[in-house]
Amino acid sequence: MAILVVICVVVLIGAVLYFVGGPLRVAEDARIAAAAGGEPAPLVEAGEQARELRLQELEAAREAKYREIRDAELDYRTGKLSAEDYETVDAELRAEALRILDELEGLKTRGA
Amino acid sequence: MAGLGFACLILALTVCVYGIGASIYGVRRGRPEFSDSGRRSVYALAGVLTVAFVVLEVAFLRNDFAFNTVADTSSRTTPLLYRAAAVWSSQEGSLLLWAWLMSMWSSLALFLTRKRMRDVASYAQAIMLGFGGFFVALMVFYADPFQTTSPAPAEGVGLDPLLRFPTMMIHPPMLYSGYTLCTIPLAFGMGALLARRLDADWIKAIRRFAFAAWLFLGVGILLGARWSYSELGWGGYWGWDAVENASLMPWLTGTAFLHSLMIQEKRGMLKVWNVSLVLATGTLSIMGTFLVRSGILNSIHAFGGATLGVPFVTLIGLLIGASIYLVVTRRDMLRSENRLDSLLSRESIFLANNLVLVGLCFVIFWGTYFPLISEAFTGQESAVGAPWFDRYTVPLALILVLLSGIGPVIAWRRATLANARRNFAIPLGSALLALVVLVGAGVTSRPLALLMFCLAAFVLGTVGQELGRGAMARRAMAGESLPRALAALVQRNRRRYGGYIVHVGIVVLFVGVAASSSFRHASQLSLAPGQSTKVGSYEITYVKPTATVTPKYDRAHTGSTLSLGAELDVTKNGRHVTTLQPSEGYYDSGEPAQGTVSSLIGGQAVSHVALNSGMTRDVWSAIEPDIETPTLKRIVDIGNKTLGPEDAPVALLYLARSYLSKPPPTQFNLIVSPLVMWIWTGGLIVFVGGLIAIWPMPLRARVPFALRARATRGLARS
């Protein structure tokens, strides 16, 4: 029983070290590869990753903005926003949506 | 396997210390690989604590009494399901449950935010690992759940009979999930302050977790109330007990936050207030955990481990100090983008709602900690009781219900007379109608209860109106049929309409509380078989005594060695309503020194309540048989002197037979309460509404195509 416990503990420690150390190993490997061959690949990859991340963020922001536009319309139609306030809020939200769509469009064009 | 469990704790502590260092190093030095490694430390912590938890759970299920925790809180006679839940009935096991749940929820939060706000998340994961490390360190240094004794005792003490109740199996995991989930917004809030990224992103990231914390905490509180009502022999569901109050306080500040964050999202206001509420809720959840564990205040729920007081006070002090420092030093970044335009606006009503909720929290805080405060100032410990709490909380609760009716329908920025007339006609009409009906029915003896019922009608009127108008608006916008528009409305605006359903649940619950506390009939008296008494409009007759011997025949399935009870016939206007069979269970004390027979029934005696529930009223009964009568005592004494451990149950058979043939007059506690069922039904509605509000929508289904097209078309206007 004691041996089984020792084996379990060793396996567990090994698994934790391997899992937690994963990102450090990957970064180290990339550094070694870059130093050996002067490959700019990781940089390009990092740039692509950043673009992907930004795209995701913008798409989420676009969905959220659409939801806000719809929310404001619902508030207006159920009497919680005056016509004047609704027009202002709606115009502001649509302008913000336009900015998001512009940036999204630009990123997509650059990626294509 | 205890060695494996303890090794897991050591490994978990190491992982926490490393993860904190890696996360902070990663974010301060711009090394994302270290931040990623820190995030993986949280996942690893969850994995390692899962192994530790499984080891302890298996020990309970296998009756491995070599584990001190198992021997102290379980036994072979403890039914299997209760044995499985006995893990968290001890101080040590409950600390492990806390740490494990925290690691699981933290992992989920970090996984969902792994591609966003990396700097904020790095600080947040360091704080989460700090909490994890704190609780694991408590287990390693003060309360080790894997401590063993050799040779192992042949039998354990058994689970506290009071905890052998179905809701008690899920009450602690629910409550702990609520507490641990409260630390996630706190970690992200502190992370945002540390990273100086105080835009709306962090609020969006933690919104769902704040709601989940609120929901779990609420369900946990309600399950605790249900346990108190159905298991404890006093017939109440809320006793303003210190531990009950400790769980209510973060729930109240969490409720305030869920409302005020809408103001920040819509108007960019209340930023200091919101971040303070998040930090306060997290800190109060740690204080709640501390109250249960420190034993500084008397409570039926507390573990009473005085050794844990100093570490907890240190942690709470650190949290309060860090919160104040961070908010003060970042106050320039937390400026409001807008001001209140009018006192008659949704923003003002939400702010008032927040002040009432925080006021309630302060009252409960003061009442709960009053024994400590009074001792600090006068040297004498004195406590406040239910009447003190009621004096302040009842008016505040009434104001809160009123505001929860006004909030959803009042206009943003500024309400006009025309707007008020349009939005408040139906709710006010509902309240007036309720007033007329209730006064007509003669419900005038309790004005505060009457006011609560009318306010509830007001809230139901606002929710009904909102659903109706929303469906009409949706029909106009999307051209759907009314039922389809209603379903689509709720489905596509889950947070808003889920929230309204929660409001309905809360007022149903408040109506139940107001009715059952104001119009209940109670009677405590001694009856002999054949005697009757009147409770409210019900006649209750003690028909005959009942008894069971040995855990096998215990009707309550709690493993009692002896159970003495009564059969009660309940009638109304001469018609049979129900038969109730309350009983009192006696349990093995596990202490042979008491005597062979005495030890079989020497454990804590627990009342098994019998009740007949309905939507309009509950008939509740509990019994306290006198086991100390000369006849019964003689049987026990003779048994102690003449019978060995194996034959001792024979004496209990004689005792039960004597109780059945010559039943002594018995003490009964009888209660008839109206609308208690509304409390549990209200809780269920809150739960359903909460689930609707919290449920994520599939990404592509979030905005209908037609709406996208219209929004884009409309851009030309701006």
Side-chain angles (χ1 to χ4, degrees), chain A residues 1 5 8-9 12-13 16 19-20 22-24 27 31 53 56 62-63 66-67 69-71 73-75 77-81 85 90-91 94-95 98 101, chain B residues 4 7-8 15 18 31 33 37 40-41 115 266 346 408-412 419 422-423 466 476-477 492 496-497 702-703 707-708 710-712 714-715 717:
Chain A
M1 190 60 147
V5 168
C8 287
V9 171
L12 203 58
I13 291 173
V16 167
F19 179 69
V20 172
L24 302 183
R31 246 193 305 278
L53 268 178
Q56 283 175 8
R62 182 190 59 190
E63 302 294 319
Y66 283 147
R67 207 161 40 239
I69 291 171
R70 188 185 52 199
D71 244 24
E73 187 174 358
L74 196 60
D75 275 346
R77 285 181 184 265
T78 51
K80 274 160 274 171
L81 269 180
D85 283 344
D90 190 56
R94 280 166 200 274
L98 190 63
L101 287 175
Chain B
L4 175 61
C8 283
V15 164
Y18 164 77
R31 300 280 298 272
E33 69 270 26
S37 178
R40 285 191 176 208
S41 300
K115 290 180 180 170
K266 289 261 183 190
R346 185 178 287 201
V409 289
I410 197 166
W412 288 101
N419 165 277
R422 179 169 183 254
N423 288 336
E466 278 302 288
M477 286 157 71
R492 294 194 186 284
R496 177 187 293 212
Y497 291 98
R702 285 179 186 174
V703 180
L707 199 66
R708 277 167 213 265
R710 198 166 57 247
T712 320
L715 293 174
R717 276 204 279 150

Coordinates of all heavy atoms in Angstrom, one line a residue, chain A residues 1 5 8-9 12-13 16 19-20 22-24 27 31 53 56 62-63 66-67 69-71 73-75 77-81 85 90-91 94-95 98 101, chain B residues 4 7-8 15 18 31 33 37 40-41 115 266 346 408-412 419 422-423 466 476-477 492 496-497 702-703 707-708 710-712 714-715 717:
Chain A
M1 N 0.8 -1.2 0.0 CA 0.0 0.0 0.0 C 0.9 1.3 0.0 O 0.6 2.2 -0.8 CB -0.9 0.0 1.2 CG -2.0 1.0 1.2 SD -3.1 0.9 -0.2 CE -4.6 1.5 0.6
V5 N 1.1 4.3 -2.7 CA 1.0 5.8 -2.4 C 2.1 6.6 -2.9 O 2.0 7.6 -3.5 CB 0.8 5.9 -0.9 CG1 1.0 7.4 -0.5 CG2 -0.5 5.4 -0.4
C8 N 1.8 6.9 -6.7 CA 0.8 7.9 -7.0 C 1.3 9.3 -6.8 O 1.1 10.2 -7.6 CB -0.5 7.7 -6.1 SG -1.4 6.3 -6.5
V9 N 2.0 9.6 -5.7 CA 2.5 10.9 -5.4 C 3.5 11.3 -6.4 O 3.5 12.5 -6.9 CB 3.2 11.0 -3.9 CG1 3.9 12.3 -3.7 CG2 2.1 10.7 -2.9
L12 N 1.8 12.2 -9.6 CA 1.0 13.4 -9.5 C 2.0 14.6 -9.6 O 1.7 15.6 -10.3 CB 0.3 13.4 -8.1 CG -0.9 14.3 -8.0 CD1 -1.9 14.0 -9.0 CD2 -1.5 14.2 -6.6
I13 N 3.1 14.5 -8.9 CA 4.1 15.6 -8.9 C 4.6 15.8 -10.4 O 4.7 16.9 -10.9 CB 5.3 15.4 -8.0 CG1 4.8 15.4 -6.5 CG2 6.4 16.4 -8.2 CD1 5.8 15.0 -5.5
V16 N 1.9 17.5 -12.5 CA 1.8 18.9 -12.2 C 2.9 19.7 -12.8 O 2.7 20.8 -13.4 CB 1.7 19.1 -10.7 CG1 1.8 20.6 -10.3 CG2 0.3 18.6 -10.1
F19 N 2.5 19.9 -16.6 CA 1.4 20.8 -17.0 C 1.7 22.2 -16.7 O 1.5 23.1 -17.6 CB 0.1 20.3 -16.2 CG -1.1 21.1 -16.6 CD1 -1.7 21.0 -17.8 CD2 -1.6 21.9 -15.6 CE1 -2.8 21.8 -18.1 CE2 -2.8 22.7 -15.9 CZ -3.3 22.6 -17.2
V20 N 2.1 22.5 -15.5 CA 2.3 23.9 -15.1 C 3.5 24.5 -15.9 O 3.5 25.7 -16.2 CB 2.5 24.0 -13.6 CG1 3.0 25.4 -13.2 CG2 1.2 23.7 -12.8
G22 N 4.5 23.8 -18.8 CA 4.2 23.8 -20.3 C 4.5 25.1 -21.0 O 5.4 25.2 -21.9
P23 N 3.9 26.2 -20.6 CA 4.1 27.5 -21.2 C 5.6 28.0 -21.2 O 6.1 28.6 -22.1 CB 3.2 28.5 -20.5 CG 2.2 27.6 -19.8 CD 2.9 26.3 -19.5
L24 N 6.3 27.6 -20.1 CA 7.7 28.1 -20.0 C 8.5 27.3 -21.0 O 9.4 27.8 -21.6 CB 8.2 27.8 -18.6 CG 7.4 28.5 -17.4 CD1 8.1 28.2 -16.1 CD2 7.4 30.0 -17.7
A27 N 7.9 28.7 -24.5 CA 8.6 29.9 -24.7 C 10.1 29.7 -24.9 O 10.8 30.4 -25.7 CB 8.3 30.9 -23.5
R31 N 12.6 30.6 -28.0 CA 13.7 31.4 -27.9 C 15.0 30.7 -28.5 O 15.8 31.3 -29.2 CB 14.0 31.8 -26.4 CG 13.8 33.3 -26.2 CD 14.3 33.7 -24.8 NE 13.7 32.9 -23.7 CZ 12.5 33.1 -23.2 NH1 11.8 34.1 -23.6 NH2 12.1 32.3 -22.2
L53 N -6.9 37.7 -31.7 CA -7.5 38.1 -30.4 C -8.3 39.4 -30.6 O -9.5 39.5 -30.1 CB -6.4 38.3 -29.4 CG -6.0 37.2 -28.6 CD1 -4.9 37.5 -27.7 CD2 -7.2 36.7 -27.7
Q56 N -11.6 38.7 -32.3 CA -12.6 38.2 -31.4 C -13.2 39.2 -30.5 O -14.4 39.3 -30.2 CB -11.9 37.1 -30.6 CG -11.7 35.8 -31.3 CD -11.0 34.7 -30.5 OE1 -10.8 34.9 -29.3 NE2 -10.6 33.6 -31.1
R62 N -19.1 44.1 -31.0 CA -20.2 44.4 -32.0 C -21.5 43.8 -31.5 O -22.5 44.4 -31.5 CB -19.8 43.8 -33.4 CG -20.8 44.1 -34.5 CD -20.5 43.3 -35.7 NE -20.5 41.9 -35.4 CZ -20.1 40.9 -36.3 NH1 -19.6 41.3 -37.4 NH2 -20.1 39.7 -35.9
E63 N -21.4 42.5 -31.1 CA -22.6 41.8 -30.6 C -23.2 42.6 -29.4 O -24.4 42.8 -29.3 CB -22.3 40.4 -30.2 CG -21.7 39.5 -31.2 CD -22.7 39.2 -32.4 OE1 -23.8 39.0 -32.1 OE2 -22.2 39.3 -33.5
Y66 N -24.9 45.8 -30.6 CA -26.2 45.5 -31.2 C -27.2 45.3 -30.1 O -28.4 45.7 -30.1 CB -26.1 44.3 -32.0 CG -25.5 44.5 -33.4 CD1 -24.8 43.5 -34.0 CD2 -25.7 45.7 -34.1 CE1 -24.2 43.7 -35.3 CE2 -25.1 45.9 -35.3 CZ -24.4 44.9 -35.9 OH -23.8 45.1 -37.2
R67 N -26.8 44.6 -29.0 CA -27.7 44.3 -27.9 C -28.1 45.6 -27.2 O -29.2 45.8 -26.8 CB -27.0 43.3 -26.9 CG -28.0 42.5 -26.1 CD -27.4 41.3 -25.5 NE -26.1 41.4 -25.0 CZ -25.0 40.7 -25.3 NH1 -25.1 39.8 -26.3 NH2 -23.9 40.9 -24.8
I69 N -28.2 48.5 -28.6 CA -29.1 49.3 -29.5 C -30.6 48.7 -29.3 O -31.5 49.4 -29.2 CB -28.7 49.1 -30.9 CG1 -27.4 49.9 -31.1 CG2 -29.7 49.6 -31.9 CD1 -26.7 49.7 -32.5
R70 N -30.6 47.4 -29.3 CA -31.9 46.7 -29.1 C -32.6 47.0 -27.8 O -33.7 47.3 -27.6 CB -31.7 45.2 -29.3 CG -33.0 44.4 -29.4 CD -32.7 43.0 -29.4 NE -31.8 42.6 -28.3 CZ -31.1 41.5 -28.2 NH1 -31.1 40.7 -29.3 NH2 -30.4 41.2 -27.2
D71 N -31.7 47.0 -26.7 CA -32.2 47.4 -25.4 C -32.8 48.8 -25.3 O -33.8 49.0 -24.7 CB -30.9 47.3 -24.4 CG -31.1 46.2 -23.4 OD1 -31.8 45.2 -23.7 OD2 -30.5 46.3 -22.3
E73 N -34.0 50.5 -27.7 CA -35.3 50.5 -28.4 C -36.4 50.0 -27.6 O -37.5 50.5 -27.5 CB -35.1 49.7 -29.8 CG -36.4 49.9 -30.6 CD -36.2 49.3 -32.0 OE1 -35.2 48.7 -32.3 OE2 -37.2 49.3 -32.8
L74 N -36.1 48.9 -26.9 CA -37.1 48.2 -26.0 C -37.5 49.2 -24.9 O -38.6 49.4 -24.5 CB -36.5 46.9 -25.4 CG -37.5 46.0 -24.8 CD1 -38.6 45.5 -25.9 CD2 -36.8 44.7 -24.3
D75 N -36.4 49.9 -24.3 CA -36.7 50.9 -23.3 C -37.6 52.0 -23.8 O -38.5 52.4 -23.1 CB -35.4 51.5 -22.7 CG -34.7 50.6 -21.7 OD1 -35.4 49.7 -21.1 OD2 -33.6 50.8 -21.4
R77 N -39.7 51.9 -26.4 CA -41.0 51.4 -26.7 C -41.9 51.0 -25.4 O -43.1 51.0 -25.5 CB -41.0 50.1 -27.6 CG -40.6 50.5 -29.0 CD -40.5 49.3 -29.9 NE -40.1 49.6 -31.2 CZ -40.9 49.8 -32.3 NH1 -42.2 49.8 -32.1 NH2 -40.4 50.1 -33.4
T78 N -41.2 50.7 -24.3 CA -41.9 50.4 -23.1 C -42.0 51.6 -22.2 O -42.3 51.5 -21.0 CB -41.3 49.2 -22.3 OG1 -39.9 49.4 -22.2 CG2 -41.5 47.9 -23.1
G79 N -41.6 52.8 -22.7 CA -41.8 54.1 -22.0 C -40.8 54.4 -21.0 O -41.1 55.2 -20.1
K80 N -39.6 53.8 -21.0 CA -38.6 54.2 -20.1 C -37.5 55.1 -20.6 O -36.6 55.5 -19.9 CB -37.9 52.9 -19.5 CG -38.7 52.3 -18.4 CD -38.5 50.9 -18.2 CE -39.3 50.1 -19.1 NZ -39.0 48.7 -19.1
L81 N -37.7 55.5 -21.8 CA -36.8 56.5 -22.4 C -37.7 57.5 -23.2 O -38.5 57.1 -24.0 CB -35.8 55.9 -23.4 CG -34.4 55.4 -22.9 CD1 -33.6 54.8 -24.0 CD2 -33.6 56.5 -22.3
D85 N -34.4 61.5 -25.5 CA -33.3 60.8 -25.0 C -33.0 59.6 -25.9 O -31.8 59.2 -26.1 CB -33.6 60.2 -23.6 CG -33.4 61.4 -22.5 OD1 -32.8 62.4 -22.9 OD2 -34.0 61.2 -21.4
D90 N -29.6 56.4 -29.1 CA -29.5 55.6 -30.3 C -28.4 56.1 -31.2 O -27.6 55.3 -31.7 CB -30.9 55.6 -31.0 CG -31.0 54.6 -32.0 OD1 -30.8 53.4 -31.7 OD2 -31.3 55.0 -33.2
A91 N -28.3 57.4 -31.4 CA -27.3 57.9 -32.3 C -25.9 57.6 -31.8 O -25.0 57.2 -32.5 CB -27.5 59.4 -32.5
R94 N -25.2 53.9 -32.2 CA -24.9 53.6 -33.6 C -23.6 54.1 -34.1 O -22.9 53.4 -34.9 CB -26.1 54.1 -34.5 CG -27.3 53.2 -34.5 CD -28.5 53.9 -35.0 NE -29.7 53.2 -34.6 CZ -30.3 52.1 -35.1 NH1 -29.7 51.6 -36.2 NH2 -31.3 51.6 -34.6
A95 N -23.2 55.2 -33.6 CA -21.9 55.8 -34.0 C -20.8 54.9 -33.4 O -19.8 54.6 -34.1 CB -21.7 57.2 -33.4
L98 N -20.6 51.8 -35.5 CA -19.9 52.1 -36.7 C -18.4 52.1 -36.6 O -17.7 51.5 -37.4 CB -20.4 53.5 -37.2 CG -19.9 53.9 -38.6 CD1 -20.6 52.9 -39.7 CD2 -20.4 55.3 -39.0
L101 N -17.4 48.5 -36.4 CA -17.5 47.8 -37.7 C -16.3 48.3 -38.6 O -15.8 47.5 -39.3 CB -18.8 48.2 -38.3 CG -20.1 47.5 -37.8 CD1 -21.3 48.0 -38.4 CD2 -20.0 46.0 -37.9
Chain B
L4 N -1.3 9.9 0.8 CA -1.6 10.5 -0.6 C -2.4 11.8 -0.4 O -2.0 12.8 -1.0 CB -2.4 9.5 -1.5 CG -2.8 10.0 -2.8 CD1 -1.6 10.4 -3.7 CD2 -3.6 9.0 -3.6
A7 N -0.1 14.4 1.0 CA 0.9 14.8 0.0 C 0.2 15.8 -1.0 O 0.8 16.7 -1.5 CB 1.4 13.6 -0.7
C8 N -1.0 15.5 -1.3 CA -1.8 16.4 -2.2 C -1.9 17.8 -1.6 O -1.7 18.8 -2.3 CB -3.2 15.9 -2.4 SG -3.3 14.5 -3.6
V15 N 2.1 24.5 -5.2 CA 1.5 25.0 -6.5 C 1.0 26.5 -6.3 O 1.3 27.3 -7.1 CB 0.4 24.1 -7.0 CG1 -0.5 24.8 -8.1 CG2 1.0 22.8 -7.6
Y18 N 4.0 28.9 -5.9 CA 4.7 29.0 -7.2 C 3.8 29.9 -8.1 O 4.2 30.8 -8.8 CB 5.0 27.7 -7.9 CG 5.3 27.9 -9.4 CD1 6.5 28.4 -9.8 CD2 4.3 27.6 -10.3 CE1 6.8 28.6 -11.1 CE2 4.5 27.9 -11.7 CZ 5.8 28.4 -12.1 OH 6.0 28.6 -13.4
R31 N 6.2 39.0 -19.1 CA 6.5 37.7 -19.6 C 5.2 36.8 -19.6 O 4.9 36.2 -18.6 CB 7.6 37.1 -18.7 CG 8.9 37.8 -18.6 CD 9.8 37.6 -19.8 NE 10.2 36.2 -19.9 CZ 11.2 35.7 -19.3 NH1 12.0 36.4 -18.6 NH2 11.5 34.4 -19.5
E33 N 4.5 34.0 -20.7 CA 4.6 32.6 -20.4 C 4.5 32.3 -18.9 O 4.0 31.3 -18.5 CB 5.8 32.0 -21.1 CG 7.2 32.4 -20.4 CD 7.7 33.7 -21.1 OE1 6.9 34.5 -21.6 OE2 9.0 33.9 -21.0
S37 N 1.7 30.1 -17.1 CA 2.0 29.1 -16.1 C 1.3 29.3 -14.8 O 0.9 28.3 -14.2 CB 3.6 29.1 -15.9 OG 3.9 28.1 -15.0
R40 N -2.2 28.1 -15.3 CA -2.2 26.6 -15.2 C -2.0 26.1 -13.7 O -2.5 25.0 -13.4 CB -1.1 26.0 -16.1 CG -1.4 26.1 -17.5 CD -0.4 25.3 -18.3 NE -0.8 25.3 -19.7 CZ -0.4 24.3 -20.6 NH1 0.2 23.2 -20.1 NH2 -0.8 24.4 -21.8
S41 N -1.4 26.9 -12.9 CA -1.3 26.5 -11.5 C -2.6 26.4 -10.9 O -2.9 25.6 -10.0 CB -0.4 27.6 -10.7 OG 0.8 27.7 -11.3
K115 N -8.5 34.5 -22.9 CA -8.0 35.4 -24.0 C -8.3 36.8 -23.8 O -8.2 37.6 -24.8 CB -8.7 34.9 -25.3 CG -8.2 33.5 -25.7 CD -8.8 33.0 -27.0 CE -8.3 31.7 -27.4 NZ -9.1 31.1 -28.5
K266 N -24.8 51.4 -18.2 CA -25.7 52.2 -19.0 C -25.2 53.7 -19.0 O -25.2 54.4 -20.0 CB -27.1 52.2 -18.5 CG -27.8 50.9 -18.8 CD -28.7 51.0 -20.0 CE -29.5 49.7 -20.2 NZ -30.1 49.7 -21.5
R346 N -34.5 56.3 -13.0 CA -34.1 54.9 -12.6 C -32.8 54.9 -11.9 O -32.6 54.1 -10.9 CB -34.0 54.1 -13.9 CG -33.8 52.6 -13.5 CD -33.7 51.8 -14.7 NE -35.0 51.6 -15.3 CZ -35.4 50.6 -16.1 NH1 -34.5 49.6 -16.4 NH2 -36.6 50.4 -16.6
P408 N -38.0 48.9 -12.2 CA -38.1 48.4 -13.5 C -39.0 49.2 -14.5 O -38.8 49.1 -15.7 CB -38.8 47.0 -13.4 CG -38.6 46.6 -12.0 CD -38.6 47.9 -11.2
V409 N -39.8 50.1 -13.9 CA -40.7 50.8 -14.9 C -40.4 52.3 -15.0 O -40.9 53.0 -15.9 CB -42.2 50.7 -14.5 CG1 -42.7 49.3 -14.8 CG2 -42.5 51.0 -13.1
I410 N -39.6 52.9 -14.0 CA -39.3 54.3 -14.1 C -38.3 54.6 -15.2 O -37.5 53.8 -15.6 CB -38.8 54.8 -12.7 CG1 -39.0 56.4 -12.7 CG2 -37.4 54.4 -12.4 CD1 -38.9 56.9 -11.3
A411 N -38.4 55.8 -15.7 CA -37.6 56.2 -16.9 C -36.1 56.4 -16.5 O -35.9 56.8 -15.4 CB -38.1 57.4 -17.6
W412 N -35.2 56.2 -17.4 CA -33.8 56.6 -17.2 C -33.7 58.1 -17.2 O -34.6 58.8 -17.8 CB -33.0 56.0 -18.4 CG -32.8 54.5 -18.4 CD1 -33.4 53.6 -19.1 CD2 -31.9 53.8 -17.5 NE1 -33.0 52.3 -18.8 CE2 -32.0 52.4 -17.8 CE3 -30.9 54.2 -16.5 CZ2 -31.3 51.4 -17.2 CZ3 -30.2 53.2 -15.9 CH2 -30.4 51.8 -16.3
N419 N -44.9 60.2 -18.3 CA -44.3 58.9 -18.2 C -44.7 58.1 -16.9 O -45.0 56.9 -17.0 CB -42.8 59.2 -18.2 CG -41.9 58.0 -17.7 OD1 -41.8 57.8 -16.5 ND2 -41.5 57.2 -18.7
R422 N -48.2 56.8 -17.3 CA -48.3 55.7 -18.2 C -47.7 54.4 -17.5 O -48.3 53.3 -17.7 CB -47.5 56.0 -19.4 CG -47.5 54.9 -20.4 CD -46.9 55.3 -21.8 NE -46.9 54.2 -22.7 CZ -45.9 53.5 -23.1 NH1 -44.7 53.8 -22.7 NH2 -46.1 52.5 -23.9
N423 N -46.7 54.5 -16.7 CA -46.0 53.4 -16.2 C -46.5 52.9 -14.9 O -46.3 51.7 -14.5 CB -44.5 53.6 -16.1 CG -43.8 53.7 -17.5 OD1 -44.4 53.1 -18.4 ND2 -42.7 54.4 -17.6
E466 N -44.6 44.9 -17.6 CA -43.3 44.9 -18.3 C -43.3 43.8 -19.4 O -42.9 43.9 -20.5 CB -42.1 44.7 -17.4 CG -41.7 46.0 -16.8 CD -41.3 47.0 -17.8 OE1 -40.3 46.8 -18.4 OE2 -42.1 48.0 -18.0
A476 N -44.2 44.4 -32.4 CA -44.1 45.5 -33.4 C -42.8 45.5 -34.1 O -42.7 45.9 -35.3 CB -44.3 46.9 -32.6
M477 N -41.7 45.2 -33.4 CA -40.4 45.2 -33.9 C -40.1 44.0 -34.9 O -39.4 44.2 -35.9 CB -39.3 45.2 -32.8 CG -39.2 46.5 -32.1 SD -38.5 46.3 -30.4 CE -36.8 45.9 -30.8
R492 N -34.5 36.3 -25.7 CA -33.4 37.2 -26.2 C -33.0 38.3 -25.2 O -32.1 39.0 -25.5 CB -33.9 37.8 -27.5 CG -34.1 36.8 -28.6 CD -34.2 37.4 -29.9 NE -34.6 36.4 -30.9 CZ -33.7 35.5 -31.4 NH1 -32.4 35.5 -31.0 NH2 -34.0 34.6 -32.3
R496 N -32.6 40.7 -18.4 CA -33.6 41.6 -18.0 C -34.9 40.8 -17.5 O -35.3 41.1 -16.4 CB -34.1 42.5 -19.1 CG -35.2 43.5 -18.8 CD -35.7 44.2 -20.0 NE -34.7 45.2 -20.5 CZ -35.0 46.4 -21.0 NH1 -36.2 46.7 -21.1 NH2 -34.1 47.1 -21.5
Y497 N -35.4 39.9 -18.3 CA -36.6 39.2 -17.9 C -36.4 38.1 -16.9 O -37.2 37.9 -16.0 CB -37.4 38.8 -19.1 CG -37.9 40.0 -19.9 CD1 -37.2 40.5 -21.0 CD2 -39.0 40.6 -19.5 CE1 -37.6 41.6 -21.7 CE2 -39.5 41.8 -20.1 CZ -38.8 42.3 -21.2 OH -39.2 43.4 -21.9
R702 N -27.2 35.4 -30.7 CA -27.4 36.6 -29.8 C -28.2 37.7 -30.5 O -28.9 38.4 -29.9 CB -26.1 37.0 -29.3 CG -25.6 36.0 -28.3 CD -24.3 36.4 -27.7 NE -23.9 35.3 -26.8 CZ -22.7 35.3 -26.2 NH1 -21.8 36.2 -26.4 NH2 -22.4 34.3 -25.5
V703 N -27.9 38.0 -31.7 CA -28.6 39.1 -32.4 C -29.2 38.6 -33.7 O -28.5 38.1 -34.5 CB -27.6 40.2 -32.7 CG1 -28.3 41.4 -33.4 CG2 -26.9 40.7 -31.4
L707 N -32.3 42.4 -37.0 CA -31.8 43.4 -36.2 C -30.5 44.0 -36.6 O -30.2 45.2 -36.6 CB -31.8 43.0 -34.7 CG -31.8 44.1 -33.7 CD1 -33.1 44.8 -33.7 CD2 -31.6 43.5 -32.3
R708 N -29.6 43.0 -37.0 CA -28.3 43.4 -37.5 C -28.4 44.4 -38.7 O -27.8 45.4 -38.7 CB -27.5 42.2 -38.0 CG -26.8 41.4 -37.0 CD -26.4 40.1 -37.7 NE -26.4 39.0 -36.7 CZ -25.3 38.6 -36.1 NH1 -24.2 39.2 -36.3 NH2 -25.4 37.7 -35.2
R710 N -30.9 46.1 -39.5 CA -31.6 47.4 -39.2 C -30.5 48.3 -38.5 O -30.5 49.5 -38.8 CB -32.8 47.2 -38.3 CG -33.7 48.4 -38.3 CD -35.0 48.1 -37.7 NE -35.0 47.6 -36.4 CZ -35.4 46.4 -36.0 NH1 -35.8 45.6 -36.9 NH2 -35.4 46.0 -34.8
A711 N -29.8 47.7 -37.6 CA -28.8 48.5 -36.8 C -27.8 49.1 -37.8 O -27.4 50.3 -37.8 CB -28.0 47.7 -35.8
T712 N -27.3 48.3 -38.8 CA -26.3 48.7 -39.7 C -27.0 49.8 -40.7 O -26.3 50.8 -41.0 CB -25.8 47.6 -40.6 OG1 -25.7 46.4 -39.7 CG2 -24.5 47.9 -41.2
G714 N -29.3 51.8 -39.9 CA -29.5 53.0 -39.2 C -28.2 53.8 -39.0 O -28.3 55.0 -38.6
L715 N -27.1 53.2 -39.3 CA -25.8 53.9 -39.0 C -25.7 55.1 -39.9 O -25.0 56.1 -39.5 CB -24.6 53.0 -39.3 CG -24.5 51.8 -38.4 CD1 -23.4 50.9 -38.8 CD2 -24.2 52.3 -37.0
R717 N -27.8 57.2 -40.3 CA -28.4 58.4 -39.6 C -27.4 59.1 -38.7 O -27.6 60.3 -38.5 CB -29.5 57.8 -38.7 CG -30.8 57.6 -39.4 CD -32.0 57.7 -38.4 NE -32.1 56.4 -37.7 CZ -32.6 56.3 -36.5 NH1 -32.9 57.4 -35.8 NH2 -32.8 55.1 -35.9

